């Protein structure tokens, strides 16, 4: 086992304390779930630090550390589904290799979170983070959905008044409109992945 490095010596600021809290025993096998979770957590934490998350008065060290672990687990669970053969956690590491921009890195971590065609729908955890963004067929917006025939799967975007500014921004980037129905072949997977990322990061990063 190797030990992931903690905070450096000298001044013990919030970033150093966060690093200390994330010291983890990492198995020698880099493909193990534990190693991948630690690598995701470390990467997400570093991005948040660069973007000023630990400078926000609304965030405590323990709060950010907990949210980092939740995001890493969500990405790992979503991309480790038995149906995934290409869009896996390793795929995230492959495409993010060499990236240094924190926004690009976060986009890489979240970009294939939802892959309805492959997974046969969305998970309960994903659906919970999409409340206030979409309605599933039948009006359900709070539980996961799976389909034997993925061609039957679609979602409808919520009314405009239900969307906060950040989700409006994501919708406009994709060129979608409130109440529009989305299908897997119309950018649905990418949009839902981005919406989940905004939901996860919205309570951590400064508003700007």
């Amino acid at each position: 086992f190797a030990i992931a490095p903690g905070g450096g010596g000298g001044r013990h600021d919030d970033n150093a304390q966060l690093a200390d809290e994330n010291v983890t025993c990492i198995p020698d096998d880099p493909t193990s779930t534990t190693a991948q979770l630690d690598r995701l957590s470390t990467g997400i934490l570093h991005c948040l630090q660069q973007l000023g998350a630990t400078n926000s008065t609304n965030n405590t060290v323990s709060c950010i550390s907990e949210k980092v672990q939740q995001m890493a687990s969500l990405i790992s669970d979503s991309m480790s589904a038995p149906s995934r053969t290409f869009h896996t956690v390793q795929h995230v590491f492959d495409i993010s290799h060499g990236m240094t921009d924190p926004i690009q890195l976060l986009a890489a971590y979240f970009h294939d979170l939802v892959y309805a065609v492959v997974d046969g729908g969305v998970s309960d955890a994903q659906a919970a983070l999409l409340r206030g963004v979409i309605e599933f067929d039948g009006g359900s917006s709070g539980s996961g959905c799976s389909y034997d025939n993925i061609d039957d799967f679609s979602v409808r975007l919520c009314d405009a008044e239900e969307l906060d500014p950040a989700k409006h921004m994501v919708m406009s980037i994709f060129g979608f409109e409130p109440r529009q129905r989305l299908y897997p072949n119309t950018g649905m997977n990418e949009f839902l992945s981005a919406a989940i990322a905004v939901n996860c990061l919205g309570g951590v990063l400064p508003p700007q």
Side-chain angles (χ1 to χ4, degrees):
F1 286 83
I3 302 297
R11 191 171 68 89
H12 192 74
D13 57 12
D14 282 350
N15 287 351
Q17 185 176 342
L18 275 167
D20 287 344
E21 289 189 358
N22 281 275
V23 171
T24 308
C25 289
I26 308 173
D28 291 333
D29 180 6
T31 65
S32 72
T33 300
T34 301
Q36 290 182 335
L37 274 171
D38 184 83
R39 185 173 174 183
L40 284 169
S41 298
T42 301
I44 294 169
L45 175 61
H46 184 62
C47 290
L48 296 181
Q49 289 172 338
Q50 286 184 288
L51 293 170
T54 54
N55 296 326
S56 171
T57 57
N58 294 325
N59 288 316
T60 64
V61 169
S62 60
C63 178
I64 294 176
S65 180
E66 180 181 355
K67 289 179 179 178
V68 165
Q69 296 297 327
Q70 290 171 350
M71 285 185 268
S73 294
L74 175 68
I75 294 169
S76 176
D77 291 346
S78 296
M79 303 190 74
S80 299
S83 53
R84 299 292 184 106
T85 57
F86 178 77
H87 294 96
T88 61
V89 177
Q90 185 57 49
H91 173 65
V92 170
F93 298 146
D94 290 342
I95 68 168
S96 62
H97 180 71
M99 290 183 180
T100 58
D101 183 273
I103 295 177
Q104 288 184 341
L105 280 165
L106 289 172
Y109 293 149
F110 282 93
H111 84 288
D112 279 328
L113 200 68
V114 175
Y115 215 83
V117 174
V118 172
D119 298 335
V122 299
S123 69
D124 290 344
Q126 293 168 352
L129 289 164
L130 290 168
R131 289 193 184 105
V133 179
I134 60 171
E135 295 176 354
F136 296 97
D137 279 344
S140 172
S141 59
S143 60
C145 297
S146 60
Y147 289 76
D148 293 330
N149 182 2
I150 194 59
D151 291 334
D152 297 332
F153 182 76
S154 67
V155 297
R156 187 184 296 278
L157 297 177
C158 289
D159 293 323
E161 57 267 22
E162 298 182 52
L163 298 166
D164 62 33
K167 296 182 179 68
H168 264 296
M169 176 192 68
V170 176
M171 189 180 297
S172 66
I173 289 172
F174 281 84
F176 296 149
E177 299 289 338
R179 302 302 299 164
Q180 182 175 340
R181 182 169 290 280
L182 305 182
Y183 298 90
N185 62 348
T186 60
M188 183 183 75
N189 296 316
E190 293 80 5
F191 170 75
L192 297 183
S193 297
I196 289 176
V198 167
N199 200 336
C200 289
L201 297 168
V204 180
L205 293 174
Q208 67 274 22

